[in-house]
């Protein structure tokens, strides 16, 4: 065999032993692939592991609380349930039990709730506290990066001032325990939102709701076309709004494909684009779209655009014409965050009705109240009372307990945190408000507010009132403001 494969001179140079070894390698696999070809290619880092997706993580730590039992109280559980003369127990930051009767564990604080109402803490899905804080001066105006129609690279949390006095007003006057801080609506894609617990901290990260998804603030309609049309650039029309959106989503889809390929197969690392990181996060379902939009026809177009590019709109905000497309919202699993009666301040807000919330509820759509205002956030319970009265006047009978969903459970769903808060279910965060009467009365105020089971406000204890560090030493009553 050696005679047929190797020339005589080469046989002489190699010697018998070398020839035998060489031929063994050839004959064993028929002269097939080189050894290096069987080495597997280096795989990528894995899905979602190409870069840090949460480089500014929550450092929130709940304040300490004590086991607490509230008895003989009217309970709205946040998911449409009501218990009269009931009891709720919470301990270690979580709801433990609720019902007609709950036994008090040893050492628990027991509060008589006779004549009062206990609810989950209110969640405001649309706030600009912190990025448009008080005092409302230009130096603190940090909510709109109005330098281009697409600013998906900015994050609202990098503007949030954790000492905004508005946070304490929202908690003390409004019973608000969780809120989403959004960029403004000048831009088509205004940047990332952040969900926070309504507690003061030295940093925004110390307020940041653990595990809450980020949001992408988008806007359609008058604002973007007015802001950029006045600068002589696209968009200056509603068709320009959609054109810029679609082109941006097309670029985001290509960006995502490159990173998906790298994370799966390895190879050269694609270039980073901070704006595209956010949009790719939307396309992967990691980041939730929160879309400012008023008119029904525009909301319908946006939902079709979402289908074109494979993302989902979590909620339309303001949505004064949502009642016209309640069926489409339900079909698409998209919520509507609305006002009770704020309308007419521009053309796209003109065709509003007081029955908007009630009609959405009647037709099975996800609906909720929102503020978009540092004063309105202090009385969202009263805003729901107005919406409830409008619905009942039109013959839409919705119970008080079901209407409370508009303040807690529905916004929790739209924010992706309904498994953690928004209702008084065992195991959920003990974000709780005790109202000193019927919470739909203008005469009723929060008496006590707990966040993660810690009593942060007590109307009967002047020392237990959260105050911004900014306010300390300012003219007034200091920590009893």
């Amino acid at each position: 065999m050696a005679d047929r494969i190797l020339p005589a001179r080469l046989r002489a140079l190699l010697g018998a032993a070398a020839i035998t070894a060489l031929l063994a390698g050839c004959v064993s696999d028929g002269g097939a692939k080189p050894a290096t070809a069987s080495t597997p290619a280096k795989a990528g880092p894995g899905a979602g592991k190409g870069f840090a997706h949460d480089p500014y993580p929550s450092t929130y730590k709940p304040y300490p609380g004590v086991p607490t039992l509230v008895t003989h109280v009217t309970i709205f559980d946040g998911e449409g349930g009501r218990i009269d003369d009931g009891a709720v127990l919470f301990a270690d930051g979580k709801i433990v039990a609720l019902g007609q009767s709950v036994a008090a564990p040893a050492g628990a604080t027991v509060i008589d709730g006779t004549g009062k109402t206990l609810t989950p803490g209110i969640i405001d899905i649309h706030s600009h506290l912190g990025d448009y804080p008080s005092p409302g001066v230009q130096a603190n105006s940090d909510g709109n990066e109005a330098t281009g129609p697409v600013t998906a690279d900015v994050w609202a949390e990098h503007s949030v001032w954790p000492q905004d006095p508005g946070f304490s007003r929202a908690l003390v006057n409004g019973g608000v325990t969780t809120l989403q801080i959004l960029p403004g609506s000048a831009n088509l894609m205004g940047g990332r939102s952040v969900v926070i617990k309504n507690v003061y901290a030295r940093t925004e990260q110390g307020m940041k709701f653990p595990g809450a998804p980020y949001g992408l603030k988008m806007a359609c309609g008058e604002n973007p076309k007015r802001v950029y049309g006045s600068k002589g650039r696209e968009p200056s029309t509603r068709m320009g709004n959609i054109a810029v959106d679609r082109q941006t989503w097309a670029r985001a889809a290509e960006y995502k494909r490159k990173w998906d390929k790298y994370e799966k197969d390895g190879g050269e690392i694609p270039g980073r684009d901070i704006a595209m990181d956010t949009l790719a996060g939307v396309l992967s379902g990691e980041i939730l779209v929160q879309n400012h939009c008023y008119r029904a026809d525009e909301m319908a177009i946006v939902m079709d655009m979402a289908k074109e590019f494979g993302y989902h709109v979590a909620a339309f905000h303001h949505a004064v014409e949502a009642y016209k497309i309640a069926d489409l919202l339900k079909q698409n699993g998209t919520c509507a965050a609305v006002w009770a009666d704020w309308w007419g301040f521009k053309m796209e807000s003109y065709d509003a009705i007081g029955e908007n919330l009630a009609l959405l509820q009647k037709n099975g759509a996800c609906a909720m109240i929102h503020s978009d205002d540092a004063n309105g956030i202090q009385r969202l319970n009263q805003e729901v009372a107005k919406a409830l009265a409008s619905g009942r006047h039109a013959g839409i009978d919705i119970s008080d307990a079901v209407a409370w969903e508009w303040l807690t459970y529905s916004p929790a769903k739209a924010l992706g945190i309904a498994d953690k808060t928004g209702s008084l279910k065992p195991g959920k965060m003990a974000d709780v408000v005790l109202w000193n009467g019927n919470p739909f009365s203008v005469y009723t105020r929060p008496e006590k507010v707990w966040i993660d089971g810690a009593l942060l406000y007590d109307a009967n204890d002047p020392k237990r009132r959260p105050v911004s560090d900014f306010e300390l030493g300012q003219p007034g009553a200091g920590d009893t403001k």
Side-chain angles (χ1 to χ4, degrees):
M1 183 175 183
D3 290 344
R4 293 196 299 271
I5 297 175
L6 297 173
R9 184 174 179 183
L10 182 57
R11 289 201 309 273
L13 291 171
L14 290 174
I19 291 170
T20 302
L22 178 63
L23 292 176
C26 293
V27 172
S28 64
D29 84 275
K33 308 170 184 176
T36 55
S38 63
T39 304
K42 185 179 179 181
K49 296 181 180 179
F51 55 87
H53 287 224
D54 190 18
Y56 304 94
S58 170
T59 58
Y60 168 74
K61 300 293 182 187
Y63 284 95
V66 298
T68 302
L69 177 68
V70 183
T71 63
H72 302 296
V73 69
T74 300
I75 300 166
F76 297 162
D77 70 7
E79 295 186 31
R82 174 175 179 151
I83 302 173
D84 292 314
D85 193 26
V88 175
L89 173 66
F90 46 94
D92 300 321
K94 306 292 185 185
I95 303 296
V96 175
L98 71 161
Q100 208 68 57
S101 178
V102 178
T109 295
V110 179
I111 298 170
D112 182 4
T114 301
K116 302 171 185 177
T117 306
L118 196 78
T119 70
I122 289 174
I123 300 172
D124 188 3
I125 195 173
H126 193 118
S127 177
H128 298 290
L129 292 182
D131 59 11
Y132 282 120
S134 301
V137 296
Q138 183 59 36
N140 287 344
S141 179
D142 290 313
N144 263 315
E145 184 57 42
T147 53
V150 176
T151 55
D153 52 331
V154 304
W155 297 25
E157 66 192 83
H158 298 150
S159 279
V160 170
W161 183 39
Q163 295 302 317
D164 183 355
F167 290 124
S168 67
R169 273 54 170 185
L171 184 137
V172 168
N173 296 328
V176 174
T177 55
T178 299
L179 53 160
Q180 176 177 224
I181 311 299
L182 294 145
S185 55
N187 303 342
L188 294 168
M189 299 178 180
R192 289 201 196 195
S193 66
V194 64
V195 180
I196 65 168
K197 304 283 282 194
N198 196 9
V199 297
Y200 278 122
R202 295 178 301 170
T203 67
E204 177 278 332
Q205 286 173 258
M207 306 171 76
K208 200 169 181 178
F209 194 115
Y214 287 106
L216 169 66
K217 171 66 178 294
M218 294 186 66
C220 56
E222 292 182 29
N223 286 16
K225 80 187 190 79
R226 181 188 70 250
V227 171
Y228 295 99
S230 67
K231 298 178 181 181
R233 59 171 299 182
E234 190 180 33
S236 64
T237 61
R238 283 180 166 84
M239 62 185 174
N241 285 349
I242 298 300
V244 175
D245 278 340
R246 294 180 70 216
Q247 188 60 57
T248 305
W249 284 123
R251 288 199 299 269
E254 178 59 28
Y255 181 83
K256 181 178 181 294
R257 279 192 291 272
K258 290 178 182 178
W259 274 96
D260 286 350
K261 185 176 187 306
Y262 163 72
E263 289 176 346
K264 179 182 178 183
D265 300 330
E268 184 177 353
I269 302 176
R272 285 282 300 281
D273 182 313
I274 302 302
M276 289 295 150
D277 286 349
T278 293
L279 301 184
V282 171
L283 296 177
S284 67
E286 179 184 341
I287 296 172
L288 308 179
V289 171
Q290 309 288 347
N291 207 130
H292 159 118
C293 211
Y294 288 80
R295 282 183 9 189
D297 58 318
E298 290 185 272
M299 288 185 271
I301 290 169
V302 169
M303 286 188 283
D304 281 344
M305 180 169 62
K307 292 172 187 172
E308 179 185 7
F309 291 99
Y311 68 92
H312 176 251
V313 180
F316 286 112
H317 295 225
H318 313 330
V320 299
E321 294 185 12
Y323 64 93
K324 299 180 181 182
I325 54 165
D327 57 332
L328 296 182
L329 293 169
K330 181 180 178 181
Q331 289 168 18
N332 285 274
T334 295
C335 297
V338 306
W339 294 298
D341 54 5
W342 200 357
W343 68 282
F345 47 90
K346 54 182 174 176
M347 194 64 215
E348 64 186 1
S349 70
Y350 183 78
D351 205 8
I353 59 172
E355 298 83 4
N356 198 6
L357 258 174
L359 284 169
L360 290 166
Q361 182 78 33
K362 179 183 178 182
N363 287 281
C366 169
M368 69 205 70
I369 201 76
H370 72 335
S371 78
D372 191 22
D373 182 71
N375 288 316
I377 196 173
Q378 299 177 43
R379 54 178 183 274
L380 286 171
N381 58 312
Q382 296 178 27
E383 295 301 300
V384 164
K386 290 190 289 185
L388 193 55
S390 293
R392 289 172 178 171
H393 183 71
I396 305 171
D397 188 18
I398 296 171
S399 71
D400 289 356
V402 167
W404 202 262
E405 295 178 10
W406 301 342
L407 290 152
T408 59
Y409 191 60
S410 292
K413 287 192 292 185
L415 293 173
I417 55 174
D419 60 327
K420 300 176 178 68
T421 190
S423 61
L424 301 177
K425 297 297 183 182
K428 286 193 175 185
M429 295 170 170
D431 298 339
V432 180
V433 181
L434 179 64
W435 304 84
N436 63 5
N438 178 349
F440 293 134
S441 166
V442 295
Y443 300 107
T444 296
R445 290 177 51 84
E447 181 176 298
K448 291 179 173 63
V449 181
W450 294 265
I451 295 182
D452 287 305
L455 182 60
L456 296 188
Y457 171 67
D458 185 345
N460 300 313
D461 182 359
K463 293 183 178 180
R464 198 175 293 272
R465 299 183 182 184
V467 175
S468 160
D469 188 59
F470 170 77
E471 289 190 274
L472 295 177
Q474 300 285 350
D479 62 359
T480 60
K481 283 186 172 65

